[in-house]
């Protein structure tokens, strides 16, 4: 490989999420619209081996073999030392870990979406990026025309466990979310503090916030002066090398 390769790993925002079924192996089938954002982690690949994570104070991201970056390296057969500079908060429903893995796969010229889905359900979308309809367990990615949009995010200082949110959705009997995300009722059950952050964003913008994936991020469309808010824009599709 070249002496140094620098790759951006954009966050993803799930604009809508419907759960259409559950497979016999327990995996949930989805029908979602996702977009890439200009909030990005950065990966620097150099000769060698290993993973180094640089994260903001108070953010803990394990750099062991369970990290999605290392799993992506094994899948693609890519030997490199990776420095990961984190900006996407873990557990926020913004696909940071999945996008980091997808960035490694892109660097390796790897474009097998079925195999990428074995690392994580959001990895296939993050491998392609832009705007897409995502179905199956995440491995069916249908690119959609890019639309330049702006969103205001409010990211609580706590995350949500995707596994626990899906389990709660099952326990609730598979509710349909009123605001385009079927996981919203389950996320509020798993993490009741989400309601306070939703209401804060609603009061600041006069809009109905939507939950990003399994949480914990809330978002509304447009650029709004929200205390603690983060304004982001959509990005066009990433291109898989080769």
């Amino acid at each position: 490989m070249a002496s140094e390769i620098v790759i951006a790993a954009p966050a993803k925002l799930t604009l809508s999420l419907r759960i259409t079924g559950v497979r016999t192996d327990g995996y949930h089938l989805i029908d979602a619209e996702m977009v890439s954002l200009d909030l990005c982690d950065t990966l620097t690949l150099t000769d060698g081996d290993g993973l180094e994570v640089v994260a903001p104070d108070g953010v803990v991201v394990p750099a062991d073999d369970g990290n999605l970056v290392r799993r992506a390296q094994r899948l693609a057969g890519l030997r490199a030392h990776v420095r990961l500079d984190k900006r996407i908060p873990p557990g926020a429903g913004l696909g940071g870990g999945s996008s980091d893995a997808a960035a490694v796969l892109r660097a390796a010229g790897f474009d097998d979406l079925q195999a990428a889905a074995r690392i994580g359900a959001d990895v296939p979308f993050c491998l392609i990026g832009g705007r897409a309809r995502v179905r199956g367990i995440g491995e069916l990615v249908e690119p959609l025309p890019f639309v330049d949009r702006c969103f205001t995010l409010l990211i609580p200082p706590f995350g949500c466990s995707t596994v626990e949110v899906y389990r709660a959705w099952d326990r609730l009997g598979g509710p349909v979310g009123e605001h385009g995300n079927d996981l919203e009722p389950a996320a509020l059950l798993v993490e009741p503090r989400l309601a306070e952050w939703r209401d804060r964003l609603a009061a600041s913008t006069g809009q109905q916030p939507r939950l990003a994936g399994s949480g914990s991020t809330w978002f509304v469309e447009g650029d709004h002066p929200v205390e603690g808010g983060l304004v982001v824009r959509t990005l066009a599709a990433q291109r898989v090398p080769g």
Side-chain angles (χ1 to χ4, degrees):
M1 62 177 293
S3 59
E4 181 175 286
I5 300 174
V6 180
I7 317 166
K12 64 92 188 175
L13 186 62
T14 304
L15 301 183
S16 64
L17 174 62
R18 293 303 184 196
I19 300 175
T20 60
V22 183
R23 299 195 320 192
T24 55
D25 59 7
Y27 282 94
H28 294 75
L29 301 172
I30 65 170
D31 189 346
E33 181 183 353
M34 299 182 184
V35 295
S36 297
L37 302 177
D38 61 1
L39 170 64
C40 301
D41 290 344
T42 303
L43 289 83
T44 304
L45 281 60
T46 54
D47 292 330
D49 194 14
L51 174 61
E52 172 190 2
V53 180
V54 179
D57 290 343
V59 175
V60 178
V61 179
D64 56 22
D65 283 345
N67 188 290
L68 296 187
V69 166
R70 296 296 279 172
R71 293 178 60 187
Q73 286 185 264
R74 292 195 295 272
L75 177 62
L78 178 65
R79 186 177 186 275
H81 180 273
V82 181
R83 173 187 164 113
L84 171 59
D85 288 277
K86 289 294 296 181
R87 290 189 62 229
I88 305 170
L94 298 174
S98 295
S99 190
D100 297 338
V104 169
L105 297 181
R106 284 199 303 278
F110 188 95
D111 60 1
D112 185 337
L113 299 187
Q114 295 277 348
R118 295 200 295 269
I119 298 179
D122 290 330
V123 176
F125 167 76
C126 292
L127 186 56
I128 294 175
R131 174 176 172 247
R133 182 183 184 187
V134 180
R135 290 175 293 161
I137 61 169
E139 82 282 11
L140 303 175
V141 182
E142 176 188 344
L144 298 172
F146 172 71
V147 179
D148 183 16
R149 300 172 73 178
C150 175
F151 298 95
T152 298
L153 313 180
L154 189 61
I155 307 173
F158 54 84
C160 287
S161 165
T162 299
V163 171
E164 291 303 319
V165 170
Y166 271 103
R167 286 175 178 167
W169 186 86
D170 290 336
R171 292 198 305 272
L172 289 171
V176 174
E178 295 180 1
H179 309 298
N181 183 349
D182 287 349
L183 291 178
E184 184 176 321
L188 287 164
L189 179 66
V190 169
E191 183 46 87
R193 290 179 295 175
L194 285 172
E196 174 189 346
W197 291 81
R198 175 200 61 202
D199 295 346
R200 184 184 305 178
L201 184 58
S204 298
T205 65
Q207 294 190 40
Q208 174 62 56
R210 286 175 283 170
L211 187 68
S214 58
S216 60
T217 299
W218 294 97
F219 69 96
V220 297
E221 188 147 10
D223 182 344
H224 299 276
V226 177
E227 183 179 357
L230 177 64
V231 177
V232 295
R233 300 200 75 89
T234 51
L235 289 179
Q238 303 295 306
R239 298 207 177 271
V240 180

